[in-house]
Amino acid sequence: MIDLIHHVGIVVHSADDALVFFRDIMGLTVSEDRVIEEQGVRGVLLAIGENEIELLQPTRDDTGVARYLETKGEILHHICFRTNDIRAELARLQSQGVDLIDESPRDGLAGEIAFIHPKAMHGVLIELAQPPSGSHTGTEKGFDHLAAMVNDIDTAAEDWSQVLGLELSAKIDASDHGILIGQIICGQTVMELVQPATNDSPLAERIGSVGEHPASMIAIEVPDIEEEISRYRSAGMTVSDSSPGPIPGTLRASLTAEETYGLGIQLITYV
Ligand code: CO
């Protein structure tokens, strides 16, 4: 059973450089930092409430992660979901004919891991992880929401339900922002399926050119958005002014992904 978003993985040129932002400015704690030789990556996990952010820095040029970084730049690479029985999940997925990258689990930073092919999940590369028993996880809220850009919420939601057992719980018409949002709850995080409201919107054009894809973004709930904005600004970061978000009753502000190693950070507050 899948109960939590374990982490989002982003590819970076230099984990040390990225740590200056994620550890020193955001204030997150490193929970793991090691080189996985056979995968040719240095992986760093930073705890954020019940979730984590994984930095992946290629240590060789001949790996999938290195090619991904080469072609796409610093950007979100995968979303990892926690399971208590990865073998049972993989057996179930195989019997359903779901496209898997790994048919059996292997060792990763988060424990025993396996990847599901992005074509099974509307362009989102999904990792499953079964952490070692007794491994510590935070209980506080981490990510408020993540997002995946899709052509059609209902079609995508069927696959999220079939593959991960996570159900659509609500739909929000945010056509004043040019989008419709389907909400899937996982732990304390909402996984948003975001559909263009019209066929000629910027999002529709973007999906038309690059396909369905995850947003390279995490949203974090903050108690006082103005205070957070000025905290990041005094650390030298560019942050937008706060403005009403697509979810009714929210204010949001964004740090620009160019300054945050490809992972856009959205600050959100519920008013
Ligand atoms: Co990962």
Side-chain angles (χ1 to χ4, degrees), residues 150 153 171-175 177-182 193-198 203:
V150 299
I153 290 169
K171 270 167 122 176
I172 292 166
D173 184 340
S175 39
H177 288 261
I179 53 174
L180 309 174
I181 299 171
L193 302 177
V194 179
Q195 172 190 334
T198 57
L203 176 58

Side-chain angles (χ1 to χ4, degrees), residues 7 54 78 127:
H7 63 266
E54 179 181 65
H78 63 268
E127 178 183 2

Side-chain angles (χ1 to χ4, degrees), residues 4-26:
L4 199 65
I5 293 175
H6 188 278
H7 63 266
V8 294
I10 64 171
V11 285
V12 296
H13 291 289
S14 161
D16 286 329
D17 288 353
L19 281 169
V20 173
F21 172 69
F22 290 103
R23 182 194 54 206
D24 303 341
I25 297 178
M26 266 189 98

Side-chain angles (χ1 to χ4, degrees), residues 2 78-79 81 89-90 92-93 98-103 106 113-121 123-128 163-164:
I2 282 153
H78 63 268
I79 302 175
F81 289 82
E89 293 295 341
L90 290 173
R92 178 181 61 81
L93 292 168
V98 172
D99 260 303
L100 300 174
I101 292 174
D102 301 299
E103 293 188 351
R106 54 191 167 93
I113 62 150
F115 282 92
I116 300 170
H117 201 284
K119 72 182 171 198
M121 287 295 287
V124 183
L125 176 59
I126 301 280
E127 178 183 2
L128 300 177
V163 175
L164 297 177

Side-chain angles (χ1 to χ4, degrees), residues 90-162:
L90 290 173
R92 178 181 61 81
L93 292 168
Q94 261 184 312
S95 73
Q96 291 175 2
V98 172
D99 260 303
L100 300 174
I101 292 174
D102 301 299
E103 293 188 351
S104 52
R106 54 191 167 93
D107 275 334
L109 211 55
E112 288 190 289
I113 62 150
F115 282 92
I116 300 170
H117 201 284
K119 72 182 171 198
M121 287 295 287
H122 297 261
V124 183
L125 176 59
I126 301 280
E127 178 183 2
L128 300 177
Q130 181 178 345
S133 60
S135 66
H136 176 79
T137 40
T139 53
E140 303 281 300
K141 182 172 173 179
F143 308 142
D144 178 83
H145 65 271
L146 306 177
M149 309 326 227
V150 299
N151 283 314
D152 179 70
I153 290 169
D154 294 323
T155 311
E158 260 179 55
D159 288 320
W160 277 77
S161 165
Q162 209 201 351

